[in-house]
């Protein structure tokens, strides 16, 4: 084996938003949940992780860089993923580069991993889901792991539970499984991203000063102290999973919306039922819920669904482009940007929704009329600066390999970050 070569793979993996939530584990080490969950994969064009992984006989230990900064791989979750992948690695041959790696060599060879999120990690947008999914997907390609996506999802799950759902595009179910070793706790695709292509997703990144409880410790405390969580996991979620699968299959937006909103609200209710109580949503989150609830009721049928993860950000799923346009007008009416903010950085992602909304500059925002569901005699209050920015996106595809070498995050000769 020549000593100088570096073999590298780069991949891109989406993030996902649960519409029936995962909250609570029955096994902390294997990351086995107490209920099934369902998610929508978000378009990687707007929210994704890119990861390059490389192997070389010159590497002395496994190393990882996240957004350019070296981080430790000593944590149990990274170690579990690396061990599971190495155990399934196969022979690799690159004739062009004259590289040959035998199955047994993988136990001794070290890897370098560089990962980058195309969205602010600090914004609380489920970066661990896309991150672990991408790490597992790219290493599996590098190591020639011949397992299908479902088997890979069971490995990604051991990095972060929600990561298993990022191995597929569209609509995804994480089946909790029954086996003690977790072999049947896997993700499956319910429908691809084209199945319900009309949906538009707007994320309100809500300004927050508060340091949040991590999902991992939050759900542990809930399982230890909440009386409601058992009822949720045993009685409520199993029924909702069946109904949600049906709603997705039939493009039944009213049912989809009612289920997603109720499940988000129940997840936050079990957080409140935890001792000490966990507050993930803040006043801005509550105002967004009120705005959607009022509008949906005014229309007589749901236009938009809302869902919130372990933080104050709102993920709003609009029935179609027209509902998305009306939603963005409402959001910009209630939550205008600070006067020194640039509109192009206030609404990011798919900017065509902004065009549909007829908003081209700050003056257009000031000119937005109060929504008709607001009673004429009560002047609507505005909350300038309470939202940091909005991301317009849609359901998206699953992981992909990036063959364009200019997208690589590691240097092809040294295997160090570019
Ligand atoms: C509220 O997957 O981040 O987003 O498995 O401990 O890493 P760990 O937790 P994580 O929890 C996600 C919780 C959630 C709901 C969901 O995505 O289903």
């Amino acid at each position: 084996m020549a000593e100088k070569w570096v073999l590298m793979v780069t991949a891109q993996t989406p993030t996902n938003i649960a519409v029936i939530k995962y909250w609570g584990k029955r096994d902390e080490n294997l990351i086995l949940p107490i209920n099934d969950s369902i998610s929508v994969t978000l378009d990687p064009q707007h929210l994704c992780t890119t990861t390059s992984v490389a192997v070389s006989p010159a590497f002395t230990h496994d190393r990882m860089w996240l957004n350019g900064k070296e981080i430790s791989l000593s944590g149990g979750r990274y170690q579990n993923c690396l061990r599971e992948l190495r155990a399934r690695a196969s022979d690799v041959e690159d004739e062009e580069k004259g590289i040959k790696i035998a199955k047994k060599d993988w136990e001794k060879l070290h890897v370098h991993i560089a990962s980058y999120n195309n969205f602010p990690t600090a914004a609380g947008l489920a970066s661990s889901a896309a991150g672990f999914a991408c790490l597992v997907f790219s290493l599996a390609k590098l190591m020639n792991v011949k397992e299908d996506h479902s088997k890979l999802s069971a490995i990604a799950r051991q990095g972060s539970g929600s990561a298993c759902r990022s191995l597929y595009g569209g609509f995804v179910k994480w089946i909790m499984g029954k086996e003690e070793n977790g072999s049947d706790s896997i993700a499956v695709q319910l429908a691809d991203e084209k199945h319900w292509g009309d949906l538009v997703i707007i994320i309100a990144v809500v300004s927050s000063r508060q340091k949040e409880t991590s999902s991992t410790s939050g759900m542990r405390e809930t399982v230890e102290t909440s009386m409601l969580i058992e009822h949720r996991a045993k009685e409520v979620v199993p029924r909702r999973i069946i109904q949600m699968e049906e709603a997705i299959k039939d493009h039944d937006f009213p049912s989809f919306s009612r289920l997603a909103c109720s499940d988000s609200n129940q997840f936050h209710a079990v957080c409140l039922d935890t001792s000490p109580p966990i507050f993930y949503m803040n006043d801005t989150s509550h105002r967004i819920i009120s705005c959607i609830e009022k509008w949906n009721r005014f229309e007589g049928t749901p236009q938009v669904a809302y869902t919130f993860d372990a933080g104050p950000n709102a993920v709003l799923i609009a029935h179609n482009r027209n509902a998305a346009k009306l939603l963005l007008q409402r959001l910009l009416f209630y939550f205008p940007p600070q006067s020194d903010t640039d509109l192009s950085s206030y609404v990011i992602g798919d900017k065509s929704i902004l065009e549909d909304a007829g908003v081209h500059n700050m003056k257009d925002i000031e000119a937005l009329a109060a929504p008709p569901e607001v009673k004429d005699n009560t002047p609507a209050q505005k909350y300038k600066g309470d939202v940091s920015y909005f991301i317009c996106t849609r359901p998206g595809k699953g992981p992909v390999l990036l063959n364009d070498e200019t997208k690589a995050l590691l240097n092809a000769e040294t295997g160090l970050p570019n």
Side-chain angles (χ1 to χ4, degrees):
M1 221 190 274
E3 290 299 303
K4 272 286 172 57
W5 56 264
V6 173
L7 188 66
M8 180 159 56
V9 163
T10 301
Q12 194 179 63
T13 301
T15 180
N16 70 78
I17 178 73
V19 286
I20 301 292
K21 305 286 184 196
Y22 146 55
W23 196 252
K25 299 182 182 70
R26 62 179 200 279
D27 185 314
E28 291 264 344
N29 180 43
L30 288 171
I31 311 199
L32 300 177
I34 57 171
N35 57 254
D36 293 350
S37 54
I38 292 179
S39 60
V40 182
T41 297
L42 303 180
D43 190 342
Q45 211 185 320
H46 308 126
L47 294 148
C48 75
T49 297
T50 302
T51 301
S52 290
V53 290
V55 60
S56 168
F59 297 168
T60 54
H61 56 290
D62 294 338
R63 296 176 75 181
M64 174 160 181
W65 294 264
L66 177 60
N67 295 325
K69 233 181 100 196
E70 183 154 15
I71 61 162
S72 164
L73 279 174
S74 63
R77 291 172 171 217
Y78 284 113
Q79 289 302 315
N80 288 349
C81 291
L82 287 168
R83 190 196 57 243
E84 294 294 312
L85 288 162
R86 280 196 167 103
R88 291 167 175 80
S90 310
D91 297 348
V92 172
E93 186 166 4
D94 186 324
E95 280 184 12
E96 215 174 285
K97 291 190 179 143
I99 301 170
K100 237 178 168 172
I101 306 171
K103 185 177 162 67
K104 62 172 180 13
D105 293 340
W106 286 108
E107 291 298 333
K108 291 174 284 180
L109 285 166
H110 298 288
V111 291
H112 282 184
I113 304 164
S115 213
Y116 168 81
N117 296 326
N118 72 347
F119 55 93
T121 310
L125 294 168
S127 53
S128 71
F132 272 104
C134 209
L135 179 132
V136 168
F137 180 77
S138 53
L139 281 173
K141 293 288 172 211
L142 181 75
M143 296 179 173
N144 194 16
V145 173
K146 293 187 179 110
E147 313 242 349
D148 61 20
H149 280 208
S150 260
K151 294 259 170 56
L152 293 184
S153 80
I155 303 178
R157 189 202 73 227
Q158 296 174 57
S160 181
S162 52
C164 74
R165 298 186 310 239
S166 274
L167 279 161
Y168 293 101
F171 300 83
V172 185
K173 171 158 110 167
W174 173 11
I175 302 167
M176 63 179 283
K178 290 195 208 74
E179 298 296 336
E180 248 173 65
N181 66 7
S183 58
D184 58 349
S185 187
I186 55 170
V188 294
Q189 188 179 51
L190 296 175
D192 71 13
E193 63 279 11
K194 290 182 213 95
H195 167 73
W196 205 347
D198 294 352
L199 299 181
V200 177
I201 300 170
I202 301 182
I203 303 170
V205 178
V206 170
S207 321
S208 157
R209 266 156 263 107
Q210 199 177 308
K211 171 87 188 82
E212 285 145 19
T213 312
S214 76
S215 301
T216 307
S217 57
M219 66 177 85
R220 184 183 308 129
E221 286 161 22
T222 300
V223 169
E224 280 167 7
T225 63
S226 164
M227 303 242 275
L228 291 183
I229 189 71
E230 195 175 323
H231 173 67
R232 166 175 167 73
K234 292 232 159 73
E235 305 294 330
V236 183
V237 175
R239 256 180 284 136
R240 282 189 182 154
I241 289 281
I242 296 169
Q243 292 165 347
M244 184 55 101
E245 281 191 57
E246 203 65 20
I248 291 169
K249 183 163 69 64
D250 300 341
H251 305 101
D252 174 358
F253 191 77
S255 301
F256 174 88
S257 175
R258 281 187 203 105
L259 288 162
C261 297
S262 307
D263 204 68
S264 172
N265 290 334
Q266 188 177 71
F267 152 52
H268 290 277
V270 299
C271 289
L272 206 58
D273 189 49
T274 300
S275 175
I278 309 168
F279 310 100
Y280 284 126
M281 294 195 284
N282 64 16
D283 287 353
T284 309
S285 320
H286 293 149
R287 283 186 186 112
I288 294 174
I289 293 181
S290 299
C291 160
I292 305 294
E293 288 282 352
K294 215 179 279 171
W295 178 29
N296 282 344
R297 212 159 314 132
F298 177 79
E299 298 289 346
T301 178
Q303 306 297 306
V304 172
Y306 56 81
T307 185
F308 296 73
D309 273 351
N313 299 334
V315 179
L316 307 168
I317 308 176
H319 190 182
N320 51 34
R321 271 192 86 93
N322 189 49
K325 169 189 99 174
L326 298 171
L327 169 65
L328 192 56
Q329 288 171 340
R330 280 165 172 81
L331 291 169
L332 291 172
F333 173 80
Y334 287 114
F335 304 100
Q338 302 275 25
S339 354
D340 56 353
T341 309
D342 180 16
L343 181 60
S344 67
S345 58
Y346 196 59
V347 180
I348 62 171
D350 178 2
K351 293 193 197 267
S352 68
I353 311 290
L354 197 57
E355 266 164 50
D356 282 10
V359 173
H360 307 285
N361 50 45
M362 293 302 211
K363 285 241 156 54
D364 293 335
I365 296 183
E366 282 160 29
L368 285 169
E373 62 271 19
V374 179
K375 286 195 192 71
D376 287 343
N377 47 6
T378 47
Q381 209 177 334
K382 298 193 179 196
Y383 303 91
K384 199 184 244 187
D386 285 2
V387 169
S388 300
Y389 56 94
F390 296 101
I391 307 171
C392 297
T393 185
R394 61 176 84 83
K397 64 182 180 187
V400 287
L401 278 179
L402 300 181
N403 295 318
D404 176 356
E405 282 176 15
T406 62
K407 298 264 167 64
L409 303 175
L410 292 168
N411 183 290
E413 262 129 55
T414 62
L416 291 167
N418 277 330

